[in-house]
Amino acid sequence: MTSDNQEQTAQSAAYPPPGRLVNPEEGREKPWISSMAEYEALYKESIQQPDKFWTRTANELLTWDKPFTHVTQGSLKEGNMAWFSDGQLNISYNCVDRWAIKDPNRVAFVYEADEPGQASKVTYGELLTKVCGVANVLHSFGLRKGDTVAIYMPMIPEAAVAMLACARLGLVHTVVFAGFSSASLAERVADARCRVVITADEGLRGSRPIRTKAIVDEALKSCPEVERVLVFRRTGNEQVEFNAPRDVWWHEAVAAQRPYCPPVPVSAEDPLFLLYTSGSTGKPKGVVHTSGGYLLGAAMTLKYVFDIHDGDIFCCTADIGWITGHSYVVYGPLALGSTSVVFESVPTYPDASRYWKLVEDHKITQFYTAPTAIRALRRCGDDFVTKCDLSSLRVIGSVGEPINPDAWTWYNEVVGGGRCAVVDTYWQTETGSHVITPLPGATVAKPGSATFPFFGVELAILDPTTGTEIEGNDVSGVLAIKRSWPSMARTIAGDHKRFLETYLSPYPGYYFAGDGASRDADGYYWIRGRVDDVINVSGHRMSTAEVESALIGHNAVAESAVVAAPDELTGQSICAFVTLKDGFEANDKLKAELVKEVRTRIGPIATPKLLILVDELPKTRSGKIIRRILRKVVAGEADQLGDLSTLSDPSILDVLIREVSTAI
Ligand code: PRX
């Protein structure tokens, strides 16, 4: 079926909340929101009486050292939004101490190590001791409230411990995904002005060691301001270089510290973390999230969207290097005192039933992953799923990219057994938590639609050219949000102007998400993908400009143009067109070198799937590359190139089309 046909079928297909959720068996609680009427009433309150709504929820879900007296201030127009600004709290106290005091044996993390059969647990009591130990080490390094710390670690509970230890002291962490190259790490460490990096000797993924510490060492050659590197021993490989006194072993440093560290209260508006993400330009931006509003958003969405109750075991497979890992592996689950699974491995190790075995072994109740993983596992066949006992599951979620209705249906029927609610959650690094999402006990789902706004999120669809709001249903345009919400990013580190230019100035008075969207006849929202130069590969954001500048870094490259190509598995893939400088010969060896250049400069996630060496790129008479033409050609839509009157040399088109069809 074509994607259009799939969508038409999906528009008419409707999946009410599964009976098992709405009428739970004996001993199980009803969903937090169990009808559309309940959702609508609360949504209405969140929009019409925001002070009342947010005062209640912020006091119900968070513990404040100093209560806030006013809820929200500032405006999207001015870009000076603030939430609960005179309130004070400590994030690690909220995520750890509250539960450790009440029930120290409650499990905070189930750690599923890379090698099957090596799972272990961390209780809230143990977590408190671990977090305090590392916080005291960071304090002994001279770090104080407001200082920034980089975290470059594998998916192990200690990564979360490092984040929470920073939060305990009011330090700002910046987690860099451990798949990024040393150059990308160095760029982020320098931009965030980190003096300390927390890392591990090595990582392990699918039994393959990753040279984590060696990558940090390489990166730090260009970051002389880094004074200390705290190294957790994950594999114990003795070959790993250790440069004392800069490098400090985690276990030795912690052993020297008192196992309690008082939490430092911070303002709700103090930053909790920076997270770098790709935008339209080459330089990644450090999105700043605050403490109070962010934690409230993470906790509240998790509670309602995954319908978390006491005793649930929540599993989000995202890496902590991404926002999904921040909000739904660490902060959301812990703020609710829930149990979160930390998954170190890959979904196909040792075989394609790893996720499903994980669900069976740990009796996971809610499972959250990305469409790319769903599509890839679906290809491996149903047997890998059906041989596992998935009866513990109640809600299964999807995030990061549009989920095609076929994949949705498979997820629902084969993984969920038709007994689970499927939540397709739309959000972004910048939104901090879900903004459009179904609620499992209330929403009638349509495969491929993220459905309706979360509480407090007032959506608008705008005409992309005029910026006017398009009212009514059955409409398309660009997605925008009309008022601030607690977990929205407040700025870009060191560049508030860029924050305003990217999100708030394009359509004054609105937050511009960068995605196209439609609202169907029933008022459901459908995300249409990015309208800027951002490529979404397997749910990871890459900027075309970033890949282009990595390519230009190779001395053979004259020009490069990078576009997204549709990809059945990864949603989109990176397709690079390159022209060479005089004197360089186009051959496979050079192509391989160029691909390697991108992997070295950015990391394996930016690997172009297709790299095509061409004599010329399509340009306007004034010399601007017309990427639209390249996009159409790689999408196999060369017959729909549209207006070509600005193309300076139409004769290059045939060559281009031929080269692409040979390359594909
Ligand atoms: O294009 C949208 C897509 O992912 C972008 C945000 O990427 P990032 O900041 O890396 O965060 C990913 C995880 C939250 C969005 O602008 N996206 C995210 N979720 C969905 C989605 N597109 C369609 N449907 C979704 N559920």
Side-chain angles (χ1 to χ4, degrees):
M1 242 200 300
T2 66
S3 59
D4 280 356
N5 287 342
Q6 272 188 35
E7 189 177 305
Q8 270 159 21
T9 315
Q11 292 236 5
S12 46
Y15 293 77
R20 183 163 151 264
L21 275 185
V22 186
N23 298 306
E25 59 256 40
E26 274 285 306
R28 174 154 285 299
E29 294 99 336
K30 279 181 62 169
W32 292 113
I33 309 289
S34 45
S35 69
M36 252 341 241
E38 234 178 285
Y39 158 74
E40 277 159 9
L42 269 176
Y43 180 76
K44 195 165 152 199
E45 187 198 12
S46 73
I47 299 299
Q48 294 181 350
Q49 295 167 280
D51 282 9
K52 181 172 165 224
F53 180 87
W54 291 114
T55 301
R56 185 177 69 243
T57 50
N59 285 320
E60 185 185 294
L61 290 170
L62 305 183
T63 300
W64 297 84
D65 292 307
K66 178 172 171 270
F68 56 89
T69 61
H70 59 275
V71 174
T72 183
Q73 66 203 60
S75 69
L76 291 178
K77 206 166 199 138
E78 290 168 285
N80 57 352
M81 310 69 65
W83 285 81
F84 319 113
S85 63
D86 63 345
Q88 288 188 355
L89 77 174
N90 178 272
I91 300 305
S92 95
Y93 180 86
N94 271 273
C95 291
V96 188
D97 303 45
R98 293 199 288 177
W99 321 114
I101 292 165
K102 203 164 133 192
D103 181 5
N105 295 324
R106 189 188 292 191
V107 177
F109 289 121
V110 169
Y111 166 40
E112 173 79 4
D114 185 54
E115 210 48 51
Q118 293 189 351
S120 57
K121 291 179 178 164
V122 181
T123 65
Y124 274 96
E126 290 162 347
L127 184 62
L128 178 60
T129 309
K130 284 175 188 280
V131 169
C132 284
V134 176
N136 281 330
V137 171
L138 298 176
H139 192 266
S140 76
F141 290 164
L143 294 172
R144 297 294 179 267
K145 180 173 174 283
D147 290 343
T148 313
V149 174
I151 299 174
Y152 188 77
M153 291 188 87
M155 268 303 280
I156 52 178
E158 285 70 18
V161 169
M163 294 160 80
L164 293 159
C166 290
R168 197 157 190 92
L169 299 179
L171 308 175
V172 182
H173 59 70
T174 181
V175 182
V176 179
F177 171 58
F180 275 121
S181 66
S182 55
S184 294
L185 172 62
E187 189 180 6
R188 287 157 173 78
V189 166
D191 189 80
R193 299 179 192 188
C194 302
R195 286 192 293 124
V196 171
V197 177
I198 308 180
T199 189
D201 53 355
E202 291 185 314
L204 272 181
R205 272 172 77 77
S207 79
R208 209 166 48 87
I210 316 267
R211 299 167 57 246
T212 314
K213 170 66 165 49
I215 298 171
V216 172
D217 288 340
E218 183 60 33
L220 297 191
K221 284 184 186 158
S222 56
C223 303
E225 62 287 357
V226 172
E227 295 156 13
R228 288 271 185 268
V229 179
L230 185 63
V231 190
F232 179 76
R233 187 172 271 166
R234 165 64 185 92
T235 65
N237 181 347
E238 288 177 2
Q239 308 298 317
V240 170
E241 265 192 45
F242 198 77
N243 311 308
R246 186 198 69 180
D247 297 350
V248 177
W249 283 116
W250 171 302
H251 56 280
E252 287 175 5
V254 167
Q257 296 297 328
R258 178 185 167 197
Y260 181 76
C261 167
V264 174
V266 301
S267 155
E269 277 295 313
D270 272 326
L272 173 63
F273 64 86
L274 311 181
L275 192 56
Y276 283 85
T277 187
S278 297
S280 299
T281 64
K283 192 171 158 356
K285 45 198 176 191
V287 169
V288 177
H289 278 290
T290 59
S291 300
Y294 168 78
L295 193 66
L296 178 59
M300 190 166 165
T301 48
L302 185 65
K303 173 176 169 176
Y304 291 110
V305 174
F306 281 93
D307 197 46
I308 300 283
H309 292 267
D310 271 359
D312 281 351
I313 315 273
F314 178 75
C315 175
C316 165
T317 63
D319 192 283
I320 43 117
W322 311 114
I323 189 71
T324 311
H326 280 59
S327 302
Y328 301 112
V329 176
V330 182
Y331 289 115
L334 298 188
L336 296 179
S338 193
T339 299
S340 176
V341 177
V342 173
F343 179 67
E344 187 181 24
S345 196
V346 293
T348 47
Y349 179 73
D351 64 32
S353 65
R354 185 68 190 267
Y355 276 172
W356 321 124
K357 190 80 181 48
L358 182 72
V359 172
E360 175 179 294
D361 287 352
H362 303 296
K363 307 225 169 339
I364 289 167
T365 41
Q366 292 94 348
F367 183 79
Y368 195 23
T369 195
T372 296
I374 298 169
R375 288 191 292 262
L377 292 172
R378 178 186 178 209
R379 279 193 181 179
C380 300
D382 295 2
D383 286 354
F384 286 108
V385 192
T386 49
K387 70 178 182 196
C388 298
D389 175 6
L390 305 183
S391 57
S392 55
L393 285 174
R394 292 203 318 273
V395 184
I396 52 179
S398 159
V399 57
E401 41 175 326
I403 178 164
N404 46 314
D406 276 358
W408 191 102
T409 310
W410 182 82
Y411 197 33
N412 178 46
E413 286 171 3
V414 181
V415 176
R419 290 170 288 106
C420 298
V422 179
V423 288
D424 172 5
T425 60
Y426 166 82
W427 59 298
Q428 308 175 301
T429 305
E430 297 85 342
T431 68
S433 57
H434 306 143
V435 286
I436 310 182
T437 175
L439 298 180
T443 315
V444 176
K446 290 190 188 188
S449 164
T451 73
F452 301 112
F454 190 70
F455 303 129
V457 176
E458 198 176 3
L459 298 174
I461 292 202
L462 307 181
D463 179 308
T465 349
T466 62
T468 32
E469 191 173 334
I470 310 175
E471 310 274 355
N473 287 344
D474 220 350
V475 295
S476 297
V478 292
L479 184 70
I481 303 181
K482 270 168 133 169
R483 62 167 79 195
S484 82
W485 64 101
S487 70
M488 81 177 291
R490 303 290 193 267
T491 190
I492 290 172
D495 200 349
H496 192 65
K497 186 162 165 270
R498 188 168 174 206
F499 179 77
L500 299 178
E501 283 167 3
T502 311
Y503 308 108
L504 304 182
S505 315
Y507 302 102
Y510 295 92
Y511 166 83
F512 169 52
D515 283 298
S518 331
R519 192 165 47 225
D520 74 12
D522 303 320
Y524 281 66
Y525 285 85
W526 298 76
I527 306 300
R528 302 292 176 202
R530 304 288 308 188
V531 294
D532 54 10
D533 291 325
V534 167
I535 302 185
N536 191 326
V537 187
S538 306
H540 297 148
R541 245 157 97 169
M542 291 308 318
S543 110
T544 53
E546 215 176 328
V547 182
E548 285 168 7
S549 69
L551 285 164
I552 300 267
H554 190 285
N555 66 347
V557 175
E559 284 179 306
S560 72
V562 168
V563 294
D567 190 292
E568 268 198 6
L569 199 61
T570 58
Q572 292 187 320
S573 63
I574 298 174
C575 181
F577 291 85
V578 172
T579 61
L580 298 177
K581 287 183 192 155
D582 285 348
F584 287 91
E585 193 195 327
N587 55 37
D588 286 347
K589 184 164 165 273
L590 180 60
K591 271 169 101 169
E593 246 182 63
L594 295 179
V595 170
K596 190 162 164 243
E597 184 80 17
V598 177
R599 291 172 66 94
T600 316
R601 284 187 185 247
I602 305 176
I605 53 164
T607 309
K609 185 166 179 199
L610 213 58
L611 189 140
I612 305 174
L613 300 175
V614 288
D615 290 336
E616 259 185 273
L617 292 168
K619 289 187 181 163
T620 61
R621 279 182 208 97
S622 60
K624 239 179 119 203
I625 299 168
I626 314 177
R627 286 183 174 71
R628 173 180 57 85
I629 292 183
L630 297 173
R631 272 195 288 270
K632 287 278 182 196
V633 174
V634 294
E637 294 170 356
D639 53 337
Q640 302 161 36
L641 292 180
D643 179 13
L644 293 175
S645 58
T646 53
L647 182 62
S648 74
D649 179 5
S651 72
I652 70 158
L653 277 182
D654 285 344
V655 187
L656 201 63
I657 294 168
R658 212 171 37 244
E659 294 197 10
V660 170
S661 62
T662 343
I664 290 173

